[in-house]
mmCIF file of all heavy atoms in Angstrom:
data_model
loop_
_atom_site.group_PDB
_atom_site.id
_atom_site.type_symbol
_atom_site.label_atom_id
_atom_site.label_comp_id
_atom_site.label_asym_id
_atom_site.label_seq_id
_atom_site.Cartn_x
_atom_site.Cartn_y
_atom_site.Cartn_z
ATOM 1 N N VAL A 145 121.136 145.016 97.861
ATOM 2 C CA VAL A 145 122.225 145.154 98.829
ATOM 3 C C VAL A 145 122.100 144.113 99.930
ATOM 4 O O VAL A 145 123.096 143.518 100.373
ATOM 5 C CB VAL A 145 122.219 146.576 99.431
ATOM 6 C CG1 VAL A 145 123.220 146.700 100.565
ATOM 7 C CG2 VAL A 145 122.541 147.604 98.350
ATOM 8 N N GLN A 146 120.865 143.835 100.354
ATOM 9 C CA GLN A 146 120.652 142.870 101.423
ATOM 10 C C GLN A 146 121.025 141.449 100.984
ATOM 11 O O GLN A 146 121.716 140.723 101.715
ATOM 12 C CB GLN A 146 119.184 142.907 101.859
ATOM 13 C CG GLN A 146 118.860 142.001 103.033
ATOM 14 C CD GLN A 146 119.505 142.455 104.308
ATOM 15 O OE1 GLN A 146 119.545 143.637 104.607
ATOM 16 N NE2 GLN A 146 120.043 141.514 105.074
ATOM 17 N N LEU A 150 124.951 141.882 102.342
ATOM 18 C CA LEU A 150 124.818 141.747 103.793
ATOM 19 C C LEU A 150 124.522 140.313 104.223
ATOM 20 O O LEU A 150 125.077 139.841 105.225
ATOM 21 C CB LEU A 150 123.723 142.699 104.295
ATOM 22 C CG LEU A 150 123.985 144.185 104.055
ATOM 23 C CD1 LEU A 150 122.812 145.015 104.551
ATOM 24 C CD2 LEU A 150 125.271 144.626 104.730
ATOM 25 N N SER A 165 120.181 142.071 113.233
ATOM 26 C CA SER A 165 119.311 143.175 112.846
ATOM 27 C C SER A 165 120.072 144.498 112.773
ATOM 28 O O SER A 165 119.917 145.273 111.814
ATOM 29 C CB SER A 165 118.151 143.285 113.844
ATOM 30 O OG SER A 165 117.342 144.400 113.557
ATOM 31 N N LYS A 166 120.915 144.753 113.769
ATOM 32 C CA LYS A 166 121.685 146.000 113.770
ATOM 33 C C LYS A 166 122.715 146.027 112.646
ATOM 34 O O LYS A 166 122.990 147.088 112.069
ATOM 35 C CB LYS A 166 122.358 146.185 115.122
ATOM 36 C CG LYS A 166 121.381 146.440 116.262
ATOM 37 C CD LYS A 166 122.103 146.664 117.574
ATOM 38 C CE LYS A 166 121.113 146.959 118.702
ATOM 39 N NZ LYS A 166 121.803 147.176 119.986
ATOM 40 N N PHE A 167 123.293 144.867 112.340
ATOM 41 C CA PHE A 167 124.260 144.797 111.250
ATOM 42 C C PHE A 167 123.587 145.120 109.920
ATOM 43 O O PHE A 167 124.143 145.865 109.096
ATOM 44 C CB PHE A 167 124.889 143.404 111.208
ATOM 45 C CG PHE A 167 125.978 143.260 110.191
ATOM 46 C CD1 PHE A 167 127.289 143.564 110.503
ATOM 47 C CD2 PHE A 167 125.686 142.814 108.907
ATOM 48 C CE1 PHE A 167 128.295 143.427 109.557
ATOM 49 C CE2 PHE A 167 126.684 142.678 107.956
ATOM 50 C CZ PHE A 167 127.991 142.981 108.287
ATOM 51 N N ASN A 168 122.394 144.581 109.699
ATOM 52 C CA ASN A 168 121.671 144.887 108.464
ATOM 53 C C ASN A 168 121.316 146.363 108.374
ATOM 54 O O ASN A 168 121.433 146.979 107.310
ATOM 55 C CB ASN A 168 120.404 144.036 108.389
ATOM 56 C CG ASN A 168 120.696 142.566 108.136
ATOM 57 O OD1 ASN A 168 121.750 142.220 107.601
ATOM 58 N ND2 ASN A 168 119.782 141.710 108.536
ATOM 59 N N GLU A 169 120.875 146.923 109.494
ATOM 60 C CA GLU A 169 120.519 148.345 109.502
ATOM 61 C C GLU A 169 121.725 149.215 109.165
ATOM 62 O O GLU A 169 121.652 150.107 108.305
ATOM 63 C CB GLU A 169 119.967 148.718 110.880
ATOM 64 C CG GLU A 169 119.641 150.195 111.022
ATOM 65 C CD GLU A 169 119.353 150.586 112.467
ATOM 66 O OE1 GLU A 169 119.301 149.681 113.329
ATOM 67 O OE2 GLU A 169 119.191 151.795 112.728
ATOM 68 N N SER A 170 122.847 148.964 109.839
ATOM 69 C CA SER A 170 124.042 149.769 109.584
ATOM 70 C C SER A 170 124.590 149.535 108.187
ATOM 71 O O SER A 170 125.086 150.471 107.548
ATOM 72 C CB SER A 170 125.114 149.447 110.638
ATOM 73 O OG SER A 170 124.711 149.875 111.917
ATOM 74 N N GLY A 171 124.503 148.294 107.696
ATOM 75 C CA GLY A 171 124.988 148.019 106.348
ATOM 76 C C GLY A 171 124.214 148.781 105.287
ATOM 77 O O GLY A 171 124.801 149.360 104.355
ATOM 78 N N GLN A 172 122.892 148.814 105.421
ATOM 79 C CA GLN A 172 122.069 149.568 104.473
ATOM 80 C C GLN A 172 122.367 151.066 104.549
ATOM 81 O O GLN A 172 122.476 151.750 103.528
ATOM 82 C CB GLN A 172 120.587 149.310 104.750
ATOM 83 C CG GLN A 172 120.112 147.902 104.480
ATOM 84 C CD GLN A 172 120.029 147.586 102.999
ATOM 85 O OE1 GLN A 172 120.084 148.480 102.150
ATOM 86 N NE2 GLN A 172 119.889 146.314 102.679
ATOM 87 N N LEU A 173 122.514 151.576 105.772
ATOM 88 C CA LEU A 173 122.747 153.012 105.932
ATOM 89 C C LEU A 173 124.159 153.417 105.492
ATOM 90 O O LEU A 173 124.351 154.539 105.028
ATOM 91 C CB LEU A 173 122.515 153.409 107.390
ATOM 92 C CG LEU A 173 121.047 153.388 107.823
ATOM 93 C CD1 LEU A 173 120.908 153.674 109.302
ATOM 94 C CD2 LEU A 173 120.227 154.390 107.016
ATOM 95 N N VAL A 174 125.131 152.531 105.640
ATOM 96 C CA VAL A 174 126.471 152.834 105.134
ATOM 97 C C VAL A 174 126.433 153.011 103.619
ATOM 98 O O VAL A 174 127.011 153.967 103.074
ATOM 99 C CB VAL A 174 127.465 151.726 105.538
ATOM 100 C CG1 VAL A 174 128.714 151.764 104.666
ATOM 101 C CG2 VAL A 174 127.871 151.893 106.988
ATOM 102 N N ALA A 175 125.752 152.088 102.926
ATOM 103 C CA ALA A 175 125.639 152.210 101.472
ATOM 104 C C ALA A 175 124.903 153.491 101.076
ATOM 105 O O ALA A 175 125.336 154.209 100.154
ATOM 106 C CB ALA A 175 124.917 150.985 100.905
ATOM 107 N N PHE A 176 123.821 153.811 101.780
ATOM 108 C CA PHE A 176 123.051 155.012 101.445
ATOM 109 C C PHE A 176 123.824 156.281 101.758
ATOM 110 O O PHE A 176 123.884 157.209 100.934
ATOM 111 C CB PHE A 176 121.728 155.006 102.217
ATOM 112 C CG PHE A 176 121.006 156.319 102.167
ATOM 113 C CD1 PHE A 176 120.404 156.749 100.994
ATOM 114 C CD2 PHE A 176 120.939 157.132 103.296
ATOM 115 C CE1 PHE A 176 119.734 157.966 100.954
ATOM 116 C CE2 PHE A 176 120.277 158.352 103.250
ATOM 117 C CZ PHE A 176 119.669 158.767 102.082
ATOM 118 N N HIS A 282 127.926 154.456 111.431
ATOM 119 C CA HIS A 282 127.467 153.128 111.036
ATOM 120 C C HIS A 282 128.621 152.267 110.518
ATOM 121 O O HIS A 282 128.593 151.045 110.669
ATOM 122 C CB HIS A 282 126.363 153.249 109.995
ATOM 123 C CG HIS A 282 125.085 153.789 110.537
ATOM 124 N ND1 HIS A 282 124.255 153.053 111.354
ATOM 125 C CD2 HIS A 282 124.496 155.010 110.419
ATOM 126 C CE1 HIS A 282 123.199 153.781 111.702
ATOM 127 N NE2 HIS A 282 123.327 154.966 111.153
ATOM 128 N N LEU A 286 129.681 148.505 111.999
ATOM 129 C CA LEU A 286 129.968 147.318 111.195
ATOM 130 C C LEU A 286 131.302 146.690 111.593
ATOM 131 O O LEU A 286 131.411 145.468 111.740
ATOM 132 C CB LEU A 286 129.981 147.677 109.710
ATOM 133 C CG LEU A 286 128.641 148.018 109.060
ATOM 134 C CD1 LEU A 286 128.839 148.318 107.583
ATOM 135 C CD2 LEU A 286 127.637 146.893 109.229
#
Side-chain angles (χ1 to χ4, degrees):
V145 173
Q146 184 68 41
L150 298 178
S165 176
K166 292 182 178 180
F167 185 88
N168 289 337
E169 177 191 354
S170 293
Q172 293 288 346
L173 289 175
V174 161
F176 168 71
H282 290 287
L286 289 181

